[in-house]
Amino acid sequence: MVSLAPALLFVVQSTAPPPPLPWHEQRPVAHVATIARFAFDGSADGFVAVHACVVAADSEGLQVCANGDDPYLHSPLLDTRGPDSSAPVDAKRGEPLELELRARASRGAHLRVYWTTRESPQWSEQQSCDGELIGDGSWHSTRTPLPIVGTLLQLRLDPFDGAGTLTLDSLLVHRTRRCPVRIESVESSSGGGDLAGYTQLRVRNDGSEPADVRCNGELHRLAAGASTILVQPHPAGASGRLLPLDLTVDGFPPFIGTLCPLDATPTPRASALASGRWCLEVDPSGNAARLFCGAGEEREVIAWIAPLLAAIDPVGGGLVALPNLRVVRRDDHRLQVRGDGATLDLEWRDDELVASVRAERSVEGPVVRTSGAPTRALFCGLEFLEARERSSSSLDLEGAARLRYAPDPALVTWPLMAAELPRATLAFTWDRRDLCPCFAQPDGYNGEVGTRMSVRGVGNYTVRLRLSSGEEDGGGRLDAAIANAVRARGLPGSRPQRSREAQWRLCEAALDGPLAGPGGFGHCAEPSWPRHLYASFLATRWRMDGTLPDRATLAGAPLADGGSHLQDDAAWLLCERAEEWLARRRDEAASLRASQGTDGLWRESGPFARGHFEATALGLGARNAAQLLEHARVTGNAESRRAGLRAAFALEHFAVPRGAQTWELPLHAPDLLAAAHAVRACLLGAELLRRDSAADDPDGDRADLLLASARRHALFGLPFVYLWGERVPTGDAATAGAPPIDDYATIAAYAATNWSAPVWIGLPVQWCGIVYADAIARLPDEGGRRDAIDWQRIARGILATGEAMQHVDGPLIGCLPDAFRLADQVRLPASINPCALVNLRLQLEKAPHQLFAVRVAEHVVTAPWPLQVEADGGVRLMAPPTTRCEVVIDGTRCVTAIGSGMIELP
């Protein structure tokens, strides 16, 4: 990715408020002083429009009318050394600032707040953070922490990008103080033992002075730097009941939360629903249920569902019990939990527990809580976790954007949360895009090591909990859960945006127009990108219209590698530069082999290795493995073949796709390109094992292992792809009559550049999807299996969405935007060449799109045209009669071929 534009996310308006943060994330904030106050009472109070907007004050407040790209306004200069403060604001001293807005927005927006300080008076992305605007046309108050170090000088507000109206009723800047006391852990027990019927709250005072803490009405003096255990009792029979957290530190707002204790002892008169190896026991109170796997002595609780259904406090977002909750038996396979204003029907359908909710008020449920820590967990679009990892961590992104416990539903690529346990995998899906999903790993809401998954909403909705057992052949794995969920949902439709001829004209317009310049072409259209004679660009143009620059133009002109995200080396041989090409590829492969570890992998030593639990990752290993194996494919190089195969098999070490974009993203970041490179590496390895020699794989077992790995890595890429189904047009898209771009848009990574901005969650980067589509389109057909994934359809969908994102006119005609904002269908810079789109379309059409390589006896022959092996073992170049090009034999010998002649082998 190369865009420096901040992410602006489209809003799917949720029907329920999000929950408060988990206890371990809470630090209540008290206002020490208000250091700036703007009431906009008939005046703009010094605020001025700077770009693409106008401001005017009236009786309702400050009216901000955005009328162009990237509108923003500035505050007047601020003085944070007011009468109540004599020291500079320093976030490191625990007194950060907070921006409080009361505003009304005409449409959903993702507010970006910038600031300058006396110490750093220049505007920059490093001095900015995300805020919130709720675009439903009503007044809302929001608070945004400002992580400012230094003395605040001025604010800048970026409310929209494009048309929109914002009304500011008031803007305040508060000096705040964080509560020095934090909750370290929560342990609930209502079973047997000395702690029966109590919750233990371990709290710590990180401050330099004693703090007065109140728990359950009792006052405790907590010394500076000290920890203590506070006890909150449960009433009898509290299992699954919602009990408010009772903890306050004097001088600060209370901690917000709900205790939902569980009882591990058998429940008398529990209602049981069974299906095969699965059994659900529902407490007669309707508060909770236990989910069992197995029977007899091997029966084990794998999850709790507690609460089964709860109401939502409309003010704080916390959970409250539904009045008159009770269980109503339907039959042997169905139960109903009923309370005032809401019902929940539970039914087994083979290995799937179906929960149907009908709610007249905002509710949360069912809430699934795994009984132990998962080996992996997934939240499509936001989290891809391994064992012992925490959701919403700062290892991939920092600041407010890291908090993904209850995200904007628009950030969810498709409705799947899943947890892989040693004995079973639980896959949680839902049917409405406006529901607010909630995900925590570990479960910080209940002080447990397991994963918590639920949704919030109002009206009618259905949740499905699909269970697969580790006793099955791979059935308990996370990749199987992804595949099952995709097959159950089905894939959205797609169609090409334009005919092949029209698409070629659009791409040619880009090559001839915004990308062209002295010396060749730019990877991107912007003038800051240098122009080179990229071999991939020449090959793309040749694939489209059969033309190459004349020999006089090429004479002495240096060809360049790169340029396209899908490389096509045909031009080197067409331009008779094969010797130069071989030398480059030979040096690249030698360098990779020299830096390869004894385990077949490579290590990252740059700044983006920070925080990851090892110095390597799937993306790093797979990218290099694919490059070595491609070198072996086209040259027959035995050293590259051995090194590449060793790396391809070593990829089994990795359980999550990460770390393919360490030029700007953390090695730890879950990453679509990592999945793409892994698919390509495994497929190349399988191809070489079958093509080159049966001696080291006589039964084809090693090739089959690599094919299975390729399919697994392909599944790991699906959570990065939007697969909801067609979205209803809104805003400008609706009036224009064009379907909005949404399905098959691809998220590059669950991370942010330099851990801060841009945040790539919810912001498609389609060129990464094009690389992934190129890889999955090469997967072999699965023999007509009914449960097979239609990889070709997914690749076609990604291509169609990429072509729809291209600029169709104007100065950037034909270019693919680096990022695409779904909210308002805005294309963001930089403006990338369309060569990869051409290459992918050719592959999907089964047309020539890369170098051809065949093995004949001990020789490997490579050419830019198809090669035909004759019955007598000779090789014929399948080119038009007058065509001239070079053919490479064994990666060492270059011969000139003309037309469809036979190639003389040594």
Side-chain angles (χ1 to χ4, degrees), residues 275 277-278 291-294 302 348 350-353 376 416 418-428 465-485 487:
S275 177
R277 64 173 64 85
W278 314 109
L291 184 59
F292 293 90
C293 176
I302 59 169
W348 280 111
D350 297 324
D351 289 342
E352 194 170 67
L353 182 63
R376 285 182 295 182
L416 172 66
E420 178 188 84
L421 302 171
R423 190 166 180 184
T425 297
L426 292 79
F428 185 107
L465 185 64
R466 185 182 178 94
L467 307 169
S468 51
S469 170
E471 300 162 5
E472 301 167 2
D473 183 17
R477 297 180 60 86
L478 183 62
D479 39 308
I482 296 171
N484 290 335
R487 288 190 287 260

Side-chain angles (χ1 to χ4, degrees), residues 696-719:
D696 56 355
D697 191 23
D699 300 318
D701 292 343
R702 297 181 75 207
D704 288 342
L705 284 173
L706 287 179
L707 283 177
S709 293
R711 292 191 176 97
R712 181 170 67 91
H713 295 305
L715 288 168
F716 288 166
L718 287 178

Side-chain angles (χ1 to χ4, degrees), residues 583-594:
R584 288 185 180 222
R585 298 295 173 263
R586 187 184 308 119
D587 291 345
E588 291 167 354
S591 177
L592 287 176
R593 295 195 302 267

Side-chain angles (χ1 to χ4, degrees), residues 57-81:
D58 60 20
S59 59
E60 288 195 311
L62 183 67
Q63 303 289 342
V64 182
C65 297
N67 53 25
D69 184 53
D70 191 22
Y72 55 89
L73 61 155
H74 284 176
S75 75
L77 295 177
L78 304 173
D79 181 7
T80 60
R81 299 175 187 253

Side-chain angles (χ1 to χ4, degrees), residues 279-632:
C279 180
L280 185 74
E281 289 188 355
V282 182
D283 188 280
S285 67
N287 295 322
R290 289 187 295 177
L291 184 59
F292 293 90
C293 176
E297 294 182 357
E298 296 187 358
R299 182 166 132 137
E300 176 186 349
V301 176
I302 59 169
W304 287 84
I305 305 179
L308 283 159
L309 198 62
I312 297 175
D313 179 357
V315 178
L319 295 181
V320 294
L322 281 170
N324 300 316
L325 196 67
R326 60 197 182 280
V327 176
V328 180
R329 165 70 75 173
R330 289 302 192 188
D331 54 38
D332 290 342
H333 301 285
R334 291 185 300 164
L335 281 176
Q336 185 178 90
V337 177
R338 185 182 302 168
D340 290 358
T343 61
L344 168 68
D345 286 288
L346 294 168
E347 177 184 3
W348 280 111
R349 297 178 188 171
D350 297 324
D351 289 342
E352 194 170 67
L353 182 63
V354 180
S356 301
V357 175
R358 298 185 300 280
E360 300 169 3
R361 58 194 298 179
S362 292
V363 296
E364 181 173 350
V367 179
V368 176
R369 296 153 57 176
T370 66
S371 64
T375 53
R376 285 182 295 182
L378 172 69
F379 185 7
C380 283
L382 295 119
E383 302 275 16
F384 211 140
L385 306 171
E386 292 185 60
R388 297 177 297 280
E389 284 197 86
R390 303 182 75 92
S391 56
S392 292
S393 82
S394 58
L395 293 176
D396 306 313
L397 46 86
E398 298 171 346
R402 76 171 178 84
L403 298 173
R404 290 158 273 172
Y405 299 105
D408 181 342
L411 305 182
V412 180
T413 50
W414 49 285
L416 172 66
M417 296 181 279
E420 178 188 84
L421 302 171
R423 190 166 180 184
T425 297
L426 292 79
F428 185 107
T429 63
W430 60 101
D431 65 342
R432 273 178 35 197
R433 197 167 189 177
D434 63 335
L435 298 177
C436 177
C438 306
F439 178 91
Q441 166 53 45
D443 180 0
Y445 291 94
N446 296 293
E448 297 166 357
V449 299
T451 305
R452 184 187 189 276
M453 302 178 286
S454 66
V455 290
R456 294 183 156 212
V458 67
N460 298 344
Y461 63 86
T462 299
V463 166
R464 298 174 184 272
L465 185 64
R466 185 182 178 94
L467 307 169
S468 51
S469 170
E471 300 162 5
E472 301 167 2
D473 183 17
R477 297 180 60 86
L478 183 62
D479 39 308
I482 296 171
N484 290 335
V486 169
R487 288 190 287 260
R489 281 185 56 79
L491 293 169
S494 67
R495 62 176 183 271
Q497 291 298 301
R498 51 193 73 88
S499 68
R500 185 199 230 215
E501 293 74 19
Q503 178 65 16
W504 275 194
R505 287 195 299 271
L506 184 62
C507 295
E508 288 170 351
L511 294 174
D512 292 336
L515 295 165
F521 314 93
H523 170 66
C524 297
E526 286 74 11
S528 57
W529 291 85
R531 269 49 183 171
H532 300 292
L533 199 59
Y534 287 114
S536 287
F537 283 53
L538 300 183
T540 298
R541 191 59 179 263
W542 175 68
R543 302 285 185 196
M544 289 191 291
D545 63 14
T547 63
L548 286 169
D550 58 54
R551 294 188 177 275
T553 302
L554 288 172
L559 294 187
D561 275 328
S564 172
H565 289 115
L566 292 179
Q567 186 166 292
D568 184 350
D569 281 347
W572 292 97
L573 278 64
L574 292 164
C575 297
E576 298 184 62
R577 301 279 187 88
E579 290 281 3
E580 183 182 349
W581 169 72
L582 281 173
R584 288 185 180 222
R585 298 295 173 263
R586 187 184 308 119
D587 291 345
E588 291 167 354
S591 177
L592 287 176
R593 295 195 302 267
S595 59
Q596 188 178 23
T598 55
D599 59 355
L601 298 172
W602 291 262
R603 302 299 186 269
E604 174 66 40
S605 59
F608 290 104
R610 187 190 86 198
H612 192 40
F613 46 77
E614 57 183 338
T616 187
L618 178 69
L620 181 62
R623 181 182 65 220
N624 293 339
Q627 189 169 338
L628 284 173
L629 291 167
E630 175 65 13
H631 181 243

